Amino acid sequence: MTTASALARLLKPVAGLPPAISIADVADRLLTPEHKAFLSLPIVDAAGRPLGLVSRTTLQDIFMQRFGRDLRGRHPVSEVMNPAPLTVSLDTSLEEAAKQITGQLQYPITEDFILVDGEGLYRGLGTVLDLLKAMEARIAQRNQVLRKALVDLKESQTQLVQSEKMASLGQMVAGVAHELNTPLGYVKNNVQLLRELSAPLFVLAEAQAALADCLSDPACDEARLALALDTAASARDNAAPELLVEDLTQLFSDTLYGLEQIGELVVGLKDFARLDRAMSEEVDLNECVRSALVIARNSIKDKAEAVLQLGELPRIPCAPSQINQVLLNLFTNAAQAIDGFGQIVVKTWADEAAVFLSVQDSGRGMPPPVLARIFDPFFTTKPVGQGTGLGLSISFKIIQDHGGLIRVASEPGRGTRFLIRLPRPQPAALATALQRSA
Ligand SMILES: Nc1ncnc2c1ncn2[C@@H]1O[C@H](COP(=O)(O)OP(=O)(O)OP(=O)(O)O)[C@@H](O)[C@H]1O
Ligand SMILES: [Mg+2]
């Protein structure tokens, strides 16, 4: 359906009346059932051009006057018609027609509007009420489309958040893999060394077992005993167990340390990647800081020293995986803003109403035009392919969804400080929640 035909559907095929028709005849016509729905009737010349509209109210005014019908009923209607009625061309769109008509409407509404074709010839009448109804239907239809678009948008936003998370995870997995490599490398070396060092011990144990067998065997002659003694003595010299004790102890403790480091990274990765998005958990923000730092360690370590000033915090309900995502972005942003080697200070504290976290770096800082846009989606100053520019806009949304605030202060050449405030559940709210659940 084209927009022009939408207007054509509103057209009522009312016949145009000649200008010479009398006022009384038009009044009679308006009283017939077929014209009952109209506020006015059209006057059209012989060529089909609309000349004007005669409204019901004008006629009523005449007939309500004393002897009105007798005095003026025989006069041609052209005397009392409105020669400049609302006229709309049929090829006008519904929206445009509504704009034109509502723009010129007089209140109270006493006239319909005339519909003309491309040549300006009269085609029929339209009523304002029909036009408004059609517009209302169209708006409802649009609303539905918009509502659907909103749902789609929300869905793609969720996907965007998820893919940003996957991208940052991917980046971090590479970092963590690198991080795992160091302890893994020396654990492997140590184990190889332990194997080499322990081989003569097995030889010694075997020689000593053979000697013990010989000693407890009455059939073992002197020559065999001498050989067993010899073999055991040289195996002992070769193994030198008294010298090995220190080396082995050291190797075992180094290996254990390496395994602990690997374990710590694995736990960090697991904590970081927690898939639960529920807001119900009681979370210690300091744990999030530590777990995000383990994950970010590889991107930070060559750029900055991470200084932790973590205060004692009450547990708060939040989605830890989302908070981790925010922290990871703040840490990597900070590291990326540092030229040479600097510092990233992470501070946490709390008051009665909220838990606070600040991340301050000694990096480049930002000039005001950059600062003004950092929370915009896709805003990045990083080279193409390096930053999506979604990190902070997603962080903003996550903190907002938690009922919190994220603020930033920055000075070019001096560094940047992000501050996050997450609300603590209030005793009053808690009491109401408890009452409700009781
Ligand atoms: N600590 C900071 N110091 C200086 N500039 C920063 C800092 N944090 C953010 N910015 C600026 O804000 C921009 C937007 O940051 P955001 O985290 O949203 O995206 P990004 O880091 O560029 O890309 P992505 O997060 O996808 O890697 C950055 O490109 C950078 O210009
Ligand atoms: Mg970023």
Side-chain angles (χ1 to χ4, degrees), residues 13 90 125 144 165 168 197 298 356 377 385 400 411-412 432:
L90 265 174
L125 269 189
Q144 213 175 356
K165 183 172 177 184
S168 55
L197 289 178
N298 191 57
F356 298 86
Q400 200 178 37
E411 213 177 300
T432 335

Side-chain angles (χ1 to χ4, degrees), residues 164 329 333-334 336-337 361 365-366 370 374 379-382 386-393 416 418:
E164 214 276 341
N329 186 48
N333 278 354
Q336 285 165 348
D361 65 62
M366 288 172 264
V370 170
I374 54 170
F379 175 78
T380 179
T381 55
K382 293 169 191 167
Q386 261 191 36
T388 61
L390 282 174
L392 282 176
S393 81
T416 302
F418 280 90

